[in-house]
Amino acid sequence: MDRARALARELASTVRDQRVLQAIELVPRERFVPPPLRRRAYENVALPIGGGQTISQPVVVARMLELLALHGTERVLDVGTGSGYHAALLGRLAAEVWTIEIDPALSAAAAATLAQLGADNVTCLVADGWHGLPERAPFHAINVAAAPGPELPEALVRQLAAGGRLVAPSGADAQHLTRLWSRPPELSEEVFERVRFVPLRQP
Ligand code: SAH
């Protein structure tokens, strides 16, 4: 895992959360990219994973994990499984992860990879991110890895537990990482750096 360690070191200039950096060191990103791209798996870049989708850039994944401020006890919803890499990291940082994906082929491939790596607290389901997973709500953390546009999906906001955090790339044209933090009766919203994600599709 020397290459993963080098990646974690590189990210340490941007990301302070030591648990996040440790998770980056422990999850083999090469298992989540197509074999011809494996030699590039530890570069700090997004890479194509098939189906017109990409595995997100490591620094963006790490920042989103940091913004979720996880302690290890949380029940998490991850929207847009893709390769499953982000979900695998969430599995190391929280208690229980439900990851949903609209493309059944991507979901099946991610489930196989996660099973091979023994990520048994991560469950892959085919479902629409605009609706979330009401049957498993509420969630202490919700990670949205596709861009919903100017408005955050209302169903997801409703599925946030008291004290829960939601992180998503939000905005009409330019997307920015946005964090909602539920502190009843308030729901605070903070806007962070600019990012670029594929759209959260309408099914
Ligand atoms: N987190 C992923 C990368 C996400 S790319 C990783 O670690 O590899 C965004 C993913 O969101 C794509 O796989 C895409 O198919 C999925 N997606 C797009 N619209 C969706 C929707 N409405 N519901 C669930 N998943 C969706």
Side-chain angles (χ1 to χ4, degrees):
M1 292 309 290
D2 287 353
R3 293 195 299 156
R5 185 170 307 143
L7 174 61
R9 288 225 180 100
E10 184 183 342
L11 301 184
S13 58
T14 315
V15 173
R16 301 269 165 251
D17 187 328
Q18 293 304 311
R19 290 184 73 238
V20 169
L21 295 171
Q22 195 179 39
I24 297 274
E25 219 177 295
L26 292 174
V27 174
R29 190 170 183 253
E30 83 254 19
R31 302 289 293 275
F32 297 88
V33 304
L37 291 174
R38 284 205 174 142
R39 66 191 168 77
R40 303 194 57 197
Y42 296 98
E43 292 176 22
N44 186 18
V45 293
L47 293 167
I49 56 171
Q53 303 302 327
T54 55
I55 179 172
S56 311
Q57 187 184 8
V59 69
V60 176
V61 172
R63 280 284 295 144
M64 291 175 87
L65 293 168
E66 177 168 67
L67 290 174
L68 283 176
L70 298 167
H71 298 290
T73 53
E74 295 85 358
R75 178 217 293 275
V76 181
L77 175 65
D78 176 45
V79 176
T81 310
S83 67
Y85 177 64
H86 210 146
L89 292 164
L90 286 165
R92 290 222 163 239
L93 294 166
E96 203 182 355
V97 179
W98 301 89
T99 180
I100 62 177
E101 167 60 53
I102 205 156
D103 179 331
L106 283 177
S107 179
T113 308
L114 289 161
Q116 284 162 15
L117 293 175
D120 50 17
N121 62 340
V122 181
T123 306
C124 294
L125 296 172
V126 175
D128 172 24
W130 288 98
H131 288 104
L133 206 56
E135 62 273 32
R136 299 289 174 182
F139 298 97
H140 307 109
I142 301 182
N143 180 62
V144 186
E151 303 287 337
L152 294 169
E154 232 182 81
L156 296 183
V157 179
R158 270 201 306 274
Q159 288 167 32
L160 212 45
R165 290 81 74 189
L166 179 152
V167 171
S170 176
D173 300 322
Q175 306 162 11
H176 289 87
L177 287 184
T178 302
R179 173 169 67 186
L180 294 188
W181 201 312
S182 154
R183 296 180 176 100
E186 280 167 34
L187 187 64
S188 71
E189 180 175 330
E190 298 155 277
V191 178
F192 299 91
E193 63 266 36
R194 190 167 174 178
V195 287
R196 255 179 87 174
F197 276 80
V198 298
L200 186 66
R201 278 181 275 159
Q202 299 286 350

